[in-house]
Amino acid sequence: METRANYALVGMFTLAVLGAAFGFVWWFSGLGGGNDRRDVRIVFSGSVTGLTPGSNVLFNGLRVGEVRSIQLFPDDPRSIFAVINIAGTTPVREDTRARIEAQGLAGVVAIQLIGGQRAAPPLTAKEGQLLPTIVAERSEVQDLLETVRNVATRTNDLFERLGKLVDDNDKSVANTLRNVERFSNALG
C-alpha cells in the first residue's frame, strides 16, 4: 500500500511542476490577459545598424516594449520602418520623438522614445495608415559615424595630395637634401 502512495505522490508532484512551468510560460509570453499593449510604426531614413527584432524600446530611458519587426519600404530603399510593441500605458503623443541610441559600450542598440507635451493629443493612426506612425530623427550614433567617415575621407585626401606633392617634386627635394648635407659638411 505504501508504494502506491509514493507513486501517486510523485505523479501529483510531476503534474504540479508541469502546471507551474506552463503557467510561467503563459504569464511571461503575455497571454495571461491584463496585457494592454499596442503597436506603433517608427520610420527611419538611413541606416539602422544594430537594431534587430527583440531590441528594447525605451521611453525617456524606461523600458516600455520591444521591436517586433524591421522592414524596408518597397517604394523607397533609403527608408526603413520598425514596428514596435509598447505598453498601452505609455504616453505616446503626436509630438513624441524617436531615435536609435546605443546602450553602453557593448554596442546594444535600442529605440528611444522621447516624451512630448502633456497637452499634445495622443498618437493615433492617420487616414490611410494601419498603425500610428512616428518619423524618427537622426541619432547621435548616425551623426558620429558620419563625422568619422568625413574625417577619414578628408585624411585620405590629404595623404593622397601629400604623396602626389612629394612624387611631383622628388628631384627638388633630393637636391635640397644634398644642399643641406653639403652645408652641414662645410660647417663641420
Side-chain angles (χ1 to χ4, degrees):
M1 192 67 124
E2 192 173 303
T3 56
R4 287 186 193 160
N6 284 341
Y7 290 135
L9 188 61
V10 168
M12 285 182 6
F13 178 75
T14 303
L15 288 175
V17 168
L18 288 173
F22 176 75
F24 175 76
V25 169
W26 191 49
W27 168 78
F28 191 73
S29 67
L31 297 174
N35 197 5
D36 182 25
R37 304 194 65 80
R38 64 183 169 146
D39 288 343
V40 176
R41 184 169 70 165
I42 310 290
V43 177
F44 299 96
S45 61
S47 174
V48 293
T49 302
L51 190 66
T52 60
S55 293
N56 288 333
V57 175
L58 308 173
F59 186 88
N60 292 339
L62 179 67
R63 185 179 189 282
V64 293
E66 65 181 27
V67 176
R68 282 189 18 165
S69 66
I70 303 171
Q71 297 176 3
L72 289 169
F73 270 105
D75 309 355
D76 185 5
R78 293 174 296 171
S79 295
I80 298 167
F81 71 91
V83 175
I84 61 172
N85 185 260
I86 58 174
T89 58
T90 306
V92 179
R93 307 270 185 223
E94 291 285 336
D95 60 346
T96 298
R97 298 172 304 159
R99 68 176 174 220
I100 294 179
E101 284 192 357
Q103 296 177 305
L105 299 175
V108 177
V109 174
I111 294 179
Q112 178 72 255
L113 300 175
I114 301 158
Q117 297 298 319
R118 184 183 305 205
L123 182 67
T124 57
K126 304 278 187 275
E127 190 158 335
Q129 293 179 342
L130 296 174
L131 296 172
T133 301
I134 299 173
V135 177
E137 57 188 32
R138 288 181 58 84
S139 71
E140 295 164 358
V141 173
Q142 288 173 319
D143 291 341
L144 180 66
L145 289 174
E146 187 174 327
T147 302
V148 168
R149 278 190 210 112
N150 289 340
V151 168
T153 301
R154 287 183 178 176
T155 304
N156 190 33
D157 291 345
L158 176 68
F159 281 129
E160 284 179 8
R161 288 174 44 203
L162 188 60
K164 188 175 182 326
L165 179 69
V166 170
D167 287 345
D168 291 347
N169 297 306
D170 62 345
K171 290 182 183 176
S172 298
V173 170
N175 285 337
T176 302
L177 289 175
R178 263 189 251 115
N179 289 339
V180 167
E181 189 176 337
R182 282 187 200 143
F183 180 72
S184 135
N185 287 338
L187 284 178

